[in-house]
């Protein structure tokens, strides 16, 4: 590897390593139930979400209660169920297309 490139990469890594303690961090909130998702999104003023899943999970009906709860609360739920076991760039781009075109605010 070129010495200049290696020096640049090391400086870049060192700068971010030093900045990590200064960056804002939010403690993840664990939700023990799917029923808690819609009320939390309502409190945050979210109007459109992108639900990412795969066809098997969706066809088994495992997302129905969440989709119904979001609809009941007036939150638009746009589903991308084309995810594969090892998502490709095409999978990500397809989901991104839906996210942008449907004005989603969260995934």
């Amino acid at each position: 590897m070129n010495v200049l490139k290696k020096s640049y990469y090391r400086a870049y890594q060192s700068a971010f390593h030093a900045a990590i303690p200064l960056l804002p961090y939010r403690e993840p909130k664990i939700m023990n139930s799917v029923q808690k998702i819609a009320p939390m999104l309502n409190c945050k003023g979210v109007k459109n979400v992108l639900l990412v899943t795969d066809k098997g999970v969706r066809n088994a009906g495992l997302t129905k209660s969440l989709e119904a709860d979001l609809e009941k609360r007036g939150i638009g739920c746009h589903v991308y169920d084309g995810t594969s076991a090892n998502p490709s760039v095409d999978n990500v781009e397809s989901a991104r297309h839906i996210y942008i075109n449907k004005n989603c605010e969260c995934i």
Side-chain angles (χ1 to χ4, degrees):
M1 178 182 273
N2 184 335
V3 176
L4 290 176
K5 272 188 177 179
K6 189 173 183 178
S7 298
Y8 169 76
Y9 293 145
R10 291 290 181 207
Y12 189 82
Q13 290 173 341
S14 297
F16 272 97
H17 184 71
I20 285 175
L22 305 174
L23 296 173
Y25 176 76
R26 289 180 287 163
E27 191 69 35
K29 184 176 182 181
I30 297 173
M31 296 187 177
N32 298 321
S33 172
V34 173
Q35 284 80 23
K36 293 181 180 180
I37 295 172
M40 185 267 308
L41 292 173
N42 245 356
C43 287
K44 295 191 178 283
V46 173
K47 298 295 178 201
N48 281 308
V49 301
L50 175 63
L51 175 61
V52 178
T53 185
D54 63 37
K55 287 188 187 334
V57 169
R58 190 155 190 229
N59 290 341
L62 299 175
T63 63
K64 279 185 183 177
S65 65
L66 176 58
E67 290 178 58
D69 198 20
L70 291 169
E71 183 181 340
K72 183 175 81 176
R73 293 180 179 272
I75 300 171
C77 180
H78 309 284
V79 180
Y80 175 72
D81 62 1
T83 303
S84 59
N86 292 312
S88 65
V89 172
D90 290 338
N91 291 142
V92 175
E93 285 299 320
S94 296
R96 179 181 164 273
H97 180 75
I98 295 170
Y99 186 90
I100 289 170
N101 289 333
K102 299 295 185 178
N103 297 318
C104 294
E105 300 168 84
C106 68
I107 299 174

